[in-house]
Amino acid sequence: MQNVLNSVKGTALGVAEYLTPVLKESKFRETGVLTPEEFIAAGDHLTHHCPTWSWAVGDESKIKPYLPKDKQFLITRNVPCRRRCKQIEFVGEENLVEENDADGGWVETHHYNPDDAGSAGLEEKVCEMKLDSSRIEDEPAADMDDPRNLDDGDGGDGGDDDDDEDGAAIDMDEFEESGLLETVDPSNALLPAPNEKPKPAAPTEAEGDSVVRTRTYDLHITYDKYYQTPRLWVIGYDENRKLLSVEQMYDDVSQDHAKKTVTMETHPHLPGPNMASVHPCKHADIMKKIIQTVEEGGGELGVHMYLIIFLKFVQTVIPTIEYDFTQNFNITNHK
């Protein structure tokens, strides 16, 4: 049912985008949206600082006239994804980035809560891992410079008792003649008997389920004319470069966003199978809040930084896809 609703919404938004005029005047600071020119400027900044990203053209029949022909969308290929989202153990509670939202808002799944009882319990367990020094303190170390502490085989009462109990050493010639040496020959100990069939080799770890198969993803960033913001698209491949199924790609999406914030859509510039896309309906609101936070801290956020920040906040949706956004952005003091 959810897929049907998403399909209907996608068709309706396609019509709305076609009828929406191209944004000409900058409203970046007021509303967090971009003009096509500002999208190009932010894309140039991204490709300059993150060389793994580059501009792409796509299908000639789907060229958007409001964008330069050679800069239709951004792409990065073969991005590793070594873990599934369900394998991540989150620390702390989830924080809603976007509140009062019927769809549940944006969830920051990697938020760390220092007051969380679980983390305190972990610290207590680590503190309990101490060496029991009471026995060491009660038993003073032997002084090896003292001749009485050296076992020379002749001194000490314990040494005499051991010699008496062990008896005389076995003569090696007699041991060899008895045939016992052949039964314990270490060179033959691990070889199968002449009439014994060799056992099949046990499966190695590389053949088992414990090995994480590295998936790779191609990521695209397009300009959405209706929402006037960037839009992220991802398509995944297995270790043999075979296309992942829809459900397999959803395994690499935060379950708080799968089939809600992230849906399978038709790429605006490419033919072929649908791709997973992060819906852009909240992008402008989130960016507006970030701009306000920077300005309240005395800084100023340039429009060229848009895609760098954009890639940081969509990381909460696809936390295990290790794409490159390179720059370290400090939201409190950026100028």
Side-chain angles (χ1 to χ4, degrees), residues 17-218:
E17 182 178 5
Y18 177 78
L19 299 175
T20 301
V22 177
L23 182 63
K24 299 293 185 181
E25 183 181 353
S26 177
K27 296 182 180 179
F28 169 65
R29 299 193 184 284
E30 296 85 353
T31 60
V33 299
L34 290 177
T35 65
E37 291 77 13
E38 289 172 330
F39 173 73
I40 297 300
D44 288 341
H45 183 78
L46 177 66
T47 57
H48 176 73
H49 290 280
C50 308
T52 56
W53 288 91
S54 61
W55 286 106
V57 176
D59 192 277
E60 291 286 341
S61 63
K62 297 188 175 186
I63 293 289
K64 307 300 181 184
Y66 48 85
L67 295 171
K69 186 176 181 180
D70 59 339
K71 295 182 179 181
Q72 291 288 298
F73 65 99
L74 292 153
I75 185 172
T76 183
R77 292 185 172 88
N78 299 320
V79 180
C81 180
R82 297 179 175 87
R83 295 181 295 170
R84 311 288 75 80
C85 281
K86 64 182 179 180
Q87 294 176 307
I88 300 177
E89 296 181 0
F90 298 113
V91 179
E93 299 177 354
E94 295 178 343
N95 275 9
L96 273 180
V97 177
E98 190 70 25
E99 299 178 354
N100 302 323
D101 178 19
D103 295 330
W106 283 71
V107 180
E108 184 183 3
T109 52
H110 286 74
H111 179 73
Y112 173 69
N113 184 0
D115 299 326
D116 183 67
S119 61
L122 179 61
E123 292 180 1
E124 291 177 1
K125 292 181 182 296
V126 173
C127 292
E128 290 174 0
M129 296 172 61
K130 294 181 179 179
L131 180 65
D132 185 3
S133 59
S134 59
R135 293 181 60 188
I136 299 176
E137 293 175 356
D138 295 340
E139 299 176 5
D143 185 2
M144 298 310 295
D145 292 333
D146 190 342
R148 292 174 297 177
N149 292 328
L150 298 178
D151 183 12
D152 55 3
D154 296 331
D157 296 336
D160 293 340
D161 293 340
D162 292 342
D163 291 342
D164 294 339
E165 294 175 359
D166 292 343
I170 299 175
D171 184 87
M172 289 304 298
D173 293 335
E174 296 180 1
F175 182 73
E176 185 176 356
E177 292 176 358
S178 66
L180 294 176
L181 184 61
E182 297 179 0
T183 61
V184 294
D185 185 357
S187 63
N188 297 325
L190 300 179
L191 296 178
N195 297 329
E196 182 182 355
K197 295 182 180 180
K199 296 180 180 180
T204 62
E205 186 177 356
E207 299 170 354
D209 295 333
S210 60
V211 172
V212 177
R213 305 294 183 181
T214 300
R215 297 176 176 179
T216 56
Y217 277 83
D218 293 348

Side-chain angles (χ1 to χ4, degrees), residues 12-21 33 66 223-229 279-280:
L13 287 173
V15 175
E17 182 178 5
Y18 177 78
L19 299 175
T20 301
V33 299
Y66 48 85
Y223 178 77
D224 191 291
K225 186 161 73 83
Y226 179 75
Y227 287 102
Q228 300 165 345
T229 63
H279 202 273

Side-chain angles (χ1 to χ4, degrees), residues 234-252:
V234 300
I235 186 166
Y237 304 89
D238 64 15
E239 64 273 15
N240 298 316
R241 197 60 185 176
K242 293 182 179 179
L243 191 67
L244 296 177
S245 67
V246 173
E247 292 304 319
Q248 284 176 319
M249 282 189 272
Y250 277 137
D251 287 342
D252 297 322

